[in-house]
Amino acid sequence: MIKRGEASAEHPTNQKILQAAGNPQAPEKILEVLLASAAQVYIEKLEPLENLDIKRREAIGKMEALQAERNNVNKEIARRKANKEPAEELFAGMKEVGAQIKDLEKTVDELDQAVNEILLGIPNAPHASTPLGCNETANVEIRKFGQPKQYGFAVKDHVDLGTTLGILDLDRAAKLTGARFSVLTGAGARLERALIQFMLDTHTQKHGYKEILPPFIVNAASMRGTGQLPKFEQDLFKLQGFDYYLIPTAEVPVTNLYAGEILKESDLTISYAAYTPCFRSEAGSYGRDTRGLIRQHQFDKVELVKFCRPEESYDELEKLLDNAEEILRLLQLPYRVVALSTGDLGFSAAKTYDIEVWLPSQNCYREISSCSNFEDFQARRAAIRYKGSEAKAKTAFVHTLNGSGLAVGRTWVAILENYQDENGRVCIPEVLRPYMGGMTHLEP
RNA sequence: GGAAAGGUGGCCGAGUUGGCUUAAGGCGCACGCUUGGAAAGCGUGUGUAGGCUAACACCUACCGCGGGUUCGAAUCCCGCCCUUUCCGCCA
C-alpha cells in the first residue's frame, strides 16, 4: 500500500515500477501524477475505510455475543415450558438485551453502509499490462489493419453523403426530438438493420456467442452492479417517477443477468451477443462531435459479454477483441487497435482495448469499439460467482468482460465515408449485400 | 387498474393454536463400499454471508424484501416486491 511519503518519483520502489513499466515518456512526471492520485485515494478512501472496518468488527462481535446469550436463555425457557416449570424469572433482563441487540444491529448497518459507500467509489485496479500514463496520449497502438484509401477527390463526410443520398434526415430528427438524434430512411434504415443482422450472425454462427435480447430499461441495482451508479448518474436517462433507467449499453442488462447467482463452473465460459439501442445523456460533451451520427443520445450497438474463470479472462479478452475486429476485417474497413493507458481507463475496467476505424472526412481513426476485462470488479458488485461440482469446491467470483461488436451507427458512418466515390455513390461491402437484397450501391 | 392464491435450502415438499425444526422427508449431486464393469443397494457428505481462529472447531445471521409485536417469529401484524389465475385495458 502506498503511504503518503512514497508519492514521489524518487522513492526507490517507484523507481523500480518505472523501470518495469519501461515508459520512455518523461517517466518522473507521469509517476508524479499517478502517485499523487494514488495517495489521494489512500488518504480519502482507504484510511477511513480501515478505521470503519475496525469499528464494524467490534460492533459485530458484541452483537453476536448478545445474540448467543439470548439464544441460550430462550432454549432454557423452552425447556422449562415444555416441563411445565416456571420460567418468568428468566424474562427479566432479556428485554434489555433485545434492545441492545437492536441498537447494535443499527450500528452495524450504518457502518456497513459507510464502508460500502467508500468501496463503491474506488475504481478498479489496472492490470499489470495496462500502459502507465496520465491520459490518452499514453495509449499504445497495438496493431493496424488495412490502408486508408487515397481519394483523388475531395471526400465528403457522412452527413453530406447521407443527406444527398436521401437516407439520413437530421433536420426532421431535431424537430421530432432535438439535437443528437437521427432519422434514417430507405436504404439508410435498411443498412442499419443489415449491419445489426450481419454482426449478430457472425458472432453467433462463427464465434459461438449466444444471442440474447434483454430489456432496454433496468433498475438502479443493475446500474450499480456494472458500475454506472452511483458515480455516473448524470450520464444516464432516468425515467420520471420510476427507479428505472434507459440502458447506456447492453453490458448493463446482460452482465446483470446472473447477479446474485452462483454459476456452475462447467458452464463457463458463457458468451452472449446482444443487439440493443443505447441511450446516453452525453452530459459534459457539449460542443464535441456536434455534427452527424458520431455522438448521439440514442444509437444501436451489438455488444459481446463474457463470464469466465479468473485464470482465463485475459485469453478471453484477446478472443473477444479479435471477434470484434473480425467484423471490420469482413467489411474491409481500415482500423487500428489501441491499449488504453491507466490515465484513460474507465472506472470499472482493469484493461481496455479500443478499436478505432478510419474516417476519411476526419482524416483520423475514431473509436468504434471498446473491449474490456473487468476482472472481478463487476462480479463483486453484482455478486456473480461460480463453483465447481466437487464437494469441497470453493465459490469464487467470475471475471466479466465485454466489448462492442460493434457500434452500429459509427459503422454506418465508416461505410459511407470509406466506400464513397467521386459522384457521391457508396459501394456496399460484399458481405452486406445478401442483407441488402443484393444491392451493390447506394445512389441518389 | 381491480380480485384471488402463493413465494421455504440445487429441485420437489413438510412445517400457520409462536419455543425439542437454527428448517423434517424425498429427489438430485459428490465421495466411499459393493461389482469383471455398470445399475441397484448400503454408508457418508452436500447452502450463503459474516465473526473468531495458524488451522480444525466454534459462534451469528439468512425460510421473497423491509419494518413491528414478543423473553423468543418460517409461524402473528403492517408495508413493499415478484409469480400464477380471473376481470378490465392494450401492441
Side-chain angles (χ1 to χ4, degrees), chain A residues 161-192:
Chain A
L161 288 163
T163 306
T164 311
L165 288 167
I167 61 174
L168 173 65
D169 191 341
L170 293 170
D171 293 339
R172 290 200 175 91
K175 177 175 72 179
L176 291 171
T177 313
R180 295 200 194 282
F181 285 89
S182 59
V183 171
L184 301 180
T185 57
R190 181 158 192 181
L191 179 60
E192 182 87 357

Side-chain angles (χ1 to χ4, degrees), chain A residues 77-212:
Chain A
I77 292 173
R79 195 191 62 77
R80 290 200 195 177
K81 288 256 179 184
N83 296 331
K84 311 264 192 240
E85 294 169 23
E88 280 65 24
E89 61 181 273
L90 293 173
F91 293 0
M94 294 317 289
K95 199 178 177 82
E96 174 59 21
V97 170
Q100 283 179 27
I101 289 173
K102 202 157 279 181
D103 281 352
L104 284 164
E105 274 173 353
K106 203 177 153 207
T107 305
V108 170
D109 195 55
E110 284 166 2
L111 288 167
D112 273 342
Q113 273 186 31
V115 166
N116 276 334
E117 197 180 315
I118 290 179
L119 288 176
L120 287 174
I122 296 175
N124 202 354
H127 186 251
S129 67
T130 290
L132 281 175
C134 309
N135 51 43
E136 70 278 359
T137 60
N139 294 351
V140 174
E141 182 178 300
I142 303 294
R143 60 178 161 269
K144 268 184 178 161
F145 169 86
Q147 272 293 324
K149 237 184 273 176
Q150 296 301 314
Y151 298 86
F153 56 92
V155 293
K156 294 181 181 162
D157 78 355
H158 67 280
V159 178
D160 286 345
L161 288 163
T163 306
T164 311
L165 288 167
I167 61 174
L168 173 65
D169 191 341
L170 293 170
D171 293 339
R172 290 200 175 91
K175 177 175 72 179
L176 291 171
T177 313
R180 295 200 194 282
F181 285 89
S182 59
V183 171
L184 301 180
T185 57
R190 181 158 192 181
L191 179 60
E192 182 87 357
R193 178 160 59 90
L195 282 168
I196 293 166
Q197 204 162 336
F198 163 65
M199 290 179 194
L200 281 173
D201 283 351
T202 303
H203 292 312
T204 55
Q205 291 164 24
K206 198 167 166 183
H207 300 151
Y209 290 76
K210 185 173 187 177
E211 186 170 346
I212 182 168

Side-chain angles (χ1 to χ4, degrees), chain A residues 258-383:
Chain A
Y258 296 119
E261 297 190 30
I262 299 175
L263 304 171
K264 275 194 259 176
E265 183 173 14
S266 54
D267 287 343
L268 301 177
T269 298
I270 299 171
S271 306
Y272 284 116
Y275 154 72
T276 71
C278 303
F279 303 91
R280 299 184 182 180
S281 75
E282 295 297 343
S285 64
Y286 301 114
R288 256 197 294 159
D289 301 313
T290 49
R291 183 177 163 83
L293 300 179
I294 296 294
R295 192 173 299 277
Q296 297 269 291
H297 287 308
Q298 175 190 325
F299 62 95
D300 291 315
K301 184 154 62 70
V302 170
E303 184 77 358
L304 307 174
V305 177
K306 291 191 185 200
F307 305 83
C308 72
R309 295 176 193 82
E311 59 270 27
E312 288 163 357
S313 66
Y314 281 92
D315 288 343
E316 293 290 358
L317 177 60
E318 297 299 323
K319 279 193 234 167
L320 189 147
L321 173 64
D322 185 63
N323 296 153
E325 287 177 56
E326 178 70 2
I327 299 295
L328 289 171
R329 289 193 293 260
L330 289 170
L331 292 171
Q332 290 290 302
L333 290 168
Y335 70 84
R336 63 173 192 165
V337 176
V338 169
L340 298 194
S341 78
T342 51
D344 201 22
L345 206 60
F347 180 74
S348 309
K351 175 149 194 178
T352 298
Y353 292 111
D354 276 2
I355 305 174
E356 299 178 340
V357 70
W358 179 257
L359 289 189
S361 74
Q362 300 191 5
N363 201 38
C364 69
Y365 290 95
R366 292 297 306 263
E367 179 185 342
I368 197 167
S369 171
S370 190
C371 301
S372 302
N373 185 356
F374 301 92
E375 298 190 357
D376 65 3
F377 184 86
Q378 295 179 330
R380 282 179 186 278
R381 293 172 156 240

Side-chain angles (χ1 to χ4, degrees), chain A residues 213-255:
Chain A
L213 187 68
F216 305 155
I217 297 174
V218 299
N219 58 31
S222 296
M223 288 293 184
R224 255 193 309 278
T226 31
Q228 280 75 18
L229 289 179
K231 222 185 151 186
F232 303 102
E233 173 140 32
Q234 73 280 0
D235 296 336
L236 301 170
F237 285 114
K238 186 171 198 289
L239 269 62
Q240 193 167 32
F242 294 86
D243 194 26
Y244 291 165
Y245 298 81
L246 297 181
I247 57 169
T249 159
E251 161 193 350
V252 178
V254 178
T255 306

